[in-house]
PDB file of all heavy atoms in Angstrom:
ATOM      1  N   ASP A  99     154.380   4.747  -5.514  1.00  0.00           N
ATOM      2  CA  ASP A  99     155.252   5.805  -5.012  1.00  0.00           C
ATOM      3  C   ASP A  99     154.555   7.156  -5.048  1.00  0.00           C
ATOM      4  O   ASP A  99     154.640   7.945  -4.113  1.00  0.00           O
ATOM      5  CB  ASP A  99     156.529   5.867  -5.856  1.00  0.00           C
ATOM      6  CG  ASP A  99     157.278   4.552  -5.852  1.00  0.00           C
ATOM      7  OD1 ASP A  99     157.435   3.983  -4.761  1.00  0.00           O
ATOM      8  OD2 ASP A  99     157.684   4.094  -6.929  1.00  0.00           O
ATOM      9  N   VAL A 100     153.892   7.450  -6.158  1.00  0.00           N
ATOM     10  CA  VAL A 100     153.164   8.715  -6.289  1.00  0.00           C
ATOM     11  C   VAL A 100     152.045   8.790  -5.257  1.00  0.00           C
ATOM     12  O   VAL A 100     151.850   9.810  -4.589  1.00  0.00           O
ATOM     13  CB  VAL A 100     152.593   8.863  -7.716  1.00  0.00           C
ATOM     14  CG1 VAL A 100     151.724  10.105  -7.821  1.00  0.00           C
ATOM     15  CG2 VAL A 100     153.726   8.905  -8.737  1.00  0.00           C
ATOM     16  N   TYR A 101     151.323   7.685  -5.102  1.00  0.00           N
ATOM     17  CA  TYR A 101     150.198   7.650  -4.172  1.00  0.00           C
ATOM     18  C   TYR A 101     150.650   7.951  -2.746  1.00  0.00           C
ATOM     19  O   TYR A 101     150.066   8.799  -2.058  1.00  0.00           O
ATOM     20  CB  TYR A 101     149.527   6.268  -4.231  1.00  0.00           C
ATOM     21  CG  TYR A 101     148.364   6.098  -3.282  1.00  0.00           C
ATOM     22  CD1 TYR A 101     147.086   6.489  -3.645  1.00  0.00           C
ATOM     23  CD2 TYR A 101     148.553   5.560  -2.007  1.00  0.00           C
ATOM     24  CE1 TYR A 101     146.011   6.341  -2.770  1.00  0.00           C
ATOM     25  CE2 TYR A 101     147.499   5.403  -1.127  1.00  0.00           C
ATOM     26  CZ  TYR A 101     146.234   5.795  -1.520  1.00  0.00           C
ATOM     27  OH  TYR A 101     145.189   5.648  -0.641  1.00  0.00           O
ATOM     28  N   LEU A 102     151.697   7.253  -2.275  1.00  0.00           N
ATOM     29  CA  LEU A 102     152.143   7.423  -0.896  1.00  0.00           C
ATOM     30  C   LEU A 102     152.659   8.835  -0.636  1.00  0.00           C
ATOM     31  O   LEU A 102     152.460   9.387   0.443  1.00  0.00           O
ATOM     32  CB  LEU A 102     153.228   6.395  -0.565  1.00  0.00           C
ATOM     33  CG  LEU A 102     152.744   4.956  -0.371  1.00  0.00           C
ATOM     34  CD1 LEU A 102     153.919   4.010  -0.282  1.00  0.00           C
ATOM     35  CD2 LEU A 102     151.875   4.841   0.873  1.00  0.00           C
ATOM     36  N   THR A 103     153.317   9.440  -1.638  1.00  0.00           N
ATOM     37  CA  THR A 103     153.801  10.809  -1.462  1.00  0.00           C
ATOM     38  C   THR A 103     152.647  11.793  -1.387  1.00  0.00           C
ATOM     39  O   THR A 103     152.652  12.724  -0.571  1.00  0.00           O
ATOM     40  CB  THR A 103     154.753  11.197  -2.607  1.00  0.00           C
ATOM     41  OG1 THR A 103     155.799  10.235  -2.693  1.00  0.00           O
ATOM     42  CG2 THR A 103     155.365  12.573  -2.364  1.00  0.00           C
ATOM     43  N   LEU A 104     151.645  11.600  -2.237  1.00  0.00           N
ATOM     44  CA  LEU A 104     150.468  12.475  -2.197  1.00  0.00           C
ATOM     45  C   LEU A 104     149.730  12.350  -0.864  1.00  0.00           C
ATOM     46  O   LEU A 104     149.273  13.346  -0.298  1.00  0.00           O
ATOM     47  CB  LEU A 104     149.526  12.141  -3.353  1.00  0.00           C
ATOM     48  CG  LEU A 104     150.001  12.552  -4.751  1.00  0.00           C
ATOM     49  CD1 LEU A 104     149.043  12.008  -5.813  1.00  0.00           C
ATOM     50  CD2 LEU A 104     150.113  14.063  -4.865  1.00  0.00           C
ATOM     51  N   ILE A 105     149.643  11.128  -0.364  1.00  0.00           N
ATOM     52  CA  ILE A 105     148.980  10.915   0.926  1.00  0.00           C
ATOM     53  C   ILE A 105     149.758  11.602   2.044  1.00  0.00           C
ATOM     54  O   ILE A 105     149.176  12.235   2.929  1.00  0.00           O
ATOM     55  CB  ILE A 105     148.831   9.397   1.209  1.00  0.00           C
ATOM     56  CG1 ILE A 105     147.804   8.776   0.263  1.00  0.00           C
ATOM     57  CG2 ILE A 105     148.429   9.147   2.657  1.00  0.00           C
ATOM     58  CD1 ILE A 105     146.420   9.393   0.338  1.00  0.00           C
ATOM     59  N   LEU A 106     151.096  11.512   2.002  1.00  0.00           N
ATOM     60  CA  LEU A 106     151.908  12.184   3.018  1.00  0.00           C
ATOM     61  C   LEU A 106     151.696  13.694   2.957  1.00  0.00           C
ATOM     62  O   LEU A 106     151.590  14.358   3.993  1.00  0.00           O
ATOM     63  CB  LEU A 106     153.385  11.842   2.824  1.00  0.00           C
ATOM     64  CG  LEU A 106     154.368  12.480   3.826  1.00  0.00           C
ATOM     65  CD1 LEU A 106     154.004  12.112   5.263  1.00  0.00           C
ATOM     66  CD2 LEU A 106     155.802  12.065   3.523  1.00  0.00           C
ATOM     67  N   LEU A 107     151.599  14.256   1.758  1.00  0.00           N
ATOM     68  CA  LEU A 107     151.330  15.691   1.604  1.00  0.00           C
ATOM     69  C   LEU A 107     149.997  16.070   2.243  1.00  0.00           C
ATOM     70  O   LEU A 107     149.895  17.047   2.989  1.00  0.00           O
ATOM     71  CB  LEU A 107     151.324  16.066   0.120  1.00  0.00           C
ATOM     72  CG  LEU A 107     152.685  16.244  -0.558  1.00  0.00           C
ATOM     73  CD1 LEU A 107     152.514  16.337  -2.066  1.00  0.00           C
ATOM     74  CD2 LEU A 107     153.394  17.488  -0.034  1.00  0.00           C
ATOM     75  N   LEU A 108     148.968  15.287   1.966  1.00  0.00           N
ATOM     76  CA  LEU A 108     147.647  15.560   2.553  1.00  0.00           C
ATOM     77  C   LEU A 108     147.680  15.412   4.071  1.00  0.00           C
ATOM     78  O   LEU A 108     147.065  16.206   4.799  1.00  0.00           O
ATOM     79  CB  LEU A 108     146.607  14.608   1.957  1.00  0.00           C
ATOM     80  CG  LEU A 108     146.198  14.870   0.504  1.00  0.00           C
ATOM     81  CD1 LEU A 108     145.330  13.738  -0.019  1.00  0.00           C
ATOM     82  CD2 LEU A 108     145.450  16.194   0.383  1.00  0.00           C
ATOM     83  N   TYR A 109     148.400  14.416   4.544  1.00  0.00           N
ATOM     84  CA  TYR A 109     148.494  14.194   5.991  1.00  0.00           C
ATOM     85  C   TYR A 109     149.189  15.360   6.691  1.00  0.00           C
ATOM     86  O   TYR A 109     148.815  15.726   7.814  1.00  0.00           O
ATOM     87  CB  TYR A 109     149.250  12.900   6.275  1.00  0.00           C
ATOM     88  CG  TYR A 109     148.438  11.630   6.132  1.00  0.00           C
ATOM     89  CD1 TYR A 109     147.128  11.650   5.650  1.00  0.00           C
ATOM     90  CD2 TYR A 109     148.966  10.387   6.472  1.00  0.00           C
ATOM     91  CE1 TYR A 109     146.390  10.490   5.523  1.00  0.00           C
ATOM     92  CE2 TYR A 109     148.235   9.216   6.356  1.00  0.00           C
ATOM     93  CZ  TYR A 109     146.947   9.277   5.880  1.00  0.00           C
ATOM     94  OH  TYR A 109     146.220   8.117   5.759  1.00  0.00           O
ATOM     95  N   VAL A 110     150.213  15.944   6.042  1.00  0.00           N
ATOM     96  CA  VAL A 110     150.914  17.087   6.646  1.00  0.00           C
ATOM     97  C   VAL A 110     149.960  18.268   6.795  1.00  0.00           C
ATOM     98  O   VAL A 110     149.926  18.931   7.845  1.00  0.00           O
ATOM     99  CB  VAL A 110     152.143  17.484   5.810  1.00  0.00           C
ATOM    100  CG1 VAL A 110     152.735  18.805   6.318  1.00  0.00           C
ATOM    101  CG2 VAL A 110     153.210  16.398   5.875  1.00  0.00           C
TER     102      VAL A 110
END
Side-chain angles (χ1 to χ4, degrees):
D99 302 314
V100 174
Y101 179 86
L102 286 171
T103 305
L104 288 173
I105 290 302
L106 180 57
L107 281 169
L108 288 171
Y109 280 6
V110 171

